[in-house]
């Protein structure tokens, strides 16, 4: 076991007799569990816009995020742990992104790479752009930049590893007794509709109908007079 791996998993609370050092490690379930996950994060292979070019570059030989245990990008959400949202999230794409997120098994993580994925970027408030992917899926790490450099992406991935290091098997959502509900897939019509907002949309529509009926009744009374 090399020095770096040893440092990540060992617990310093107990002394190991000198004759067993190098052969025995004492650690906690949390540490070994987190070490296993943080050292084998497989990203889902997809990109949305210019930021994806930087992500591809980070996976290639010069930067090579396999050095962090992110060995291979998986083309199937069922084999992926990490969704890197690299690029502009359009209203046309968000239903597919949410569907892919739902298809990823727990534990799963999301990195918003770049200004567009984090908040809409230069296209914020555009007619076809979602102002941040976190409106639909939970984001663990945001990486600023337009586009972020490969170094920035690597920094974001290391930040994610540090976040994983702090998780406890007792508190993680995928082991809680309550079922984890899938995120409702947004509907794309003339605009994108978030099904979680259905009650509010219905209420507002009813108010508008009520108001227009009142106005119509008022107009009819004036005409009769
Ligand atoms: S943040 Fe900049 S580089 Fe990245 S997708 Fe948006 S416009 Fe392109």
């Amino acid at each position: 076991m090399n020095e770096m791996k040893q440092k990540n998993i060992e617990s310093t609370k107990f002394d190991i007799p000198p004759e067993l050092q190098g052969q025995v490690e004492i650690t906690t379930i949390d540490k070994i569990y987190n070490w296993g996950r943080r050292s084998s994060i497989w990203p889902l292979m997809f990109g949305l816009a210019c930021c994806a070019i930087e992500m591809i570059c980070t996976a290639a030989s010069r930067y090579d995020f396999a050095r962090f245990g992110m060995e291979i990008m998986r083309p199937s959400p069922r084999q992926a742990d990490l969704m890197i949202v690299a690029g502009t999230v359009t209203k046309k794409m968000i239903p597919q992104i949410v569907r892919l997120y739902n298809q990823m098994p727990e534990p799963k993580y999301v990195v918003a790479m770049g200004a567009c994925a984090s908040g809409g970027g230069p296209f914020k408030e555009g007619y076809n752009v979602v102002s941040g992917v976190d409106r639909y899926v939970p984001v663990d790490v945001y990486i600023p930049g337009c586009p972020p450099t490969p170094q920035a992406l690597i920094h974001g991935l290391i930040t994610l590893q540090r976040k994983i290091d702090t998780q406890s098997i007792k508190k993680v959502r995928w082991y809680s007794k309550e079922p984890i509900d899938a995120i409702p897939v947004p509907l794309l019509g003339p605009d994108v509709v978030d099904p979680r907002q259905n009650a509010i949309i219905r209420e507002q529509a009813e108010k508008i109908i009520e108001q227009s009926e009142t106005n119509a009744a008022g107009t009819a009374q004036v005409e009769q007079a």
Side-chain angles (χ1 to χ4, degrees):
M1 191 181 298
N2 70 35
E3 215 171 276
M4 198 176 81
K5 284 180 184 168
Q6 205 171 346
K7 189 166 155 267
N8 281 331
I9 63 166
E10 74 186 2
S11 166
T12 51
K13 283 187 192 156
F14 301 97
D15 290 334
I16 299 173
E19 67 274 17
L20 292 177
Q21 280 177 11
Q23 298 169 51
V24 172
E25 291 295 340
I26 298 176
T27 188
T28 60
I29 291 282
D30 277 348
K31 269 202 168 184
I32 197 87
Y33 177 67
N34 291 341
W35 172 73
R37 286 181 305 118
R38 57 113 67 198
S39 309
S40 60
I41 304 171
W42 288 2
L44 182 60
M45 184 163 57
F46 80 105
L48 298 174
C50 3
C51 275
I53 303 299
E54 297 294 320
M55 181 183 67
I56 293 162
C57 168
T58 314
S61 56
R62 181 168 178 146
Y63 297 98
D64 189 13
F65 57 39
R67 293 179 295 140
F68 300 91
M70 297 168 185
E71 285 307 324
I72 37 178
M73 299 189 96
R74 302 305 300 159
S76 163
R78 299 186 204 289
Q79 299 162 354
D81 311 296
L82 170 64
M83 172 179 267
I84 302 176
V85 183
T88 317
V89 181
T90 59
K91 291 177 180 173
K92 197 172 180 183
M93 278 308 289
I94 192 67
Q96 284 65 254
I97 292 172
V98 173
R99 190 171 291 119
L100 286 171
Y101 178 82
N102 285 338
Q103 288 175 350
M104 287 168 67
E106 294 281 1
K108 55 188 169 186
Y109 300 93
V110 178
V111 167
M113 179 183 178
C116 282
S118 300
F123 312 110
K124 188 172 174 69
E125 311 293 335
Y127 73 96
N128 62 335
V129 170
V130 175
S131 294
V133 73
D134 59 0
R135 295 193 170 206
Y136 293 91
V137 296
V139 171
D140 295 283
V141 176
Y142 297 85
I143 304 175
C146 178
T149 57
Q151 292 91 333
L153 176 56
I154 286 174
H155 183 267
L157 298 174
I158 292 172
T159 305
L160 177 65
Q161 287 186 318
R162 289 192 181 134
K163 181 174 179 175
I164 293 172
D165 286 340
T166 63
Q167 293 186 312
S168 169
I169 204 165
K170 285 189 218 149
K171 294 185 191 151
V172 287
R173 64 174 181 263
W174 49 94
Y175 288 136
S176 74
K177 288 189 179 143
E178 291 80 44
I180 303 173
D181 294 331
I183 296 171
V185 176
L187 307 170
L188 182 67
D191 204 341
V192 74
V193 175
D194 185 346
R196 292 171 296 188
Q197 308 284 329
N198 275 354
I200 299 169
I201 295 168
R202 194 172 298 116
E203 195 181 307
Q204 286 177 348
E206 279 168 3
K207 269 188 199 159
I208 291 167
I209 292 167
E210 209 174 287
Q211 186 66 44
S212 62
E213 282 173 357
T214 313
N215 291 347
T219 312
Q221 277 176 0
V222 169
E223 280 173 2
Q224 278 174 7

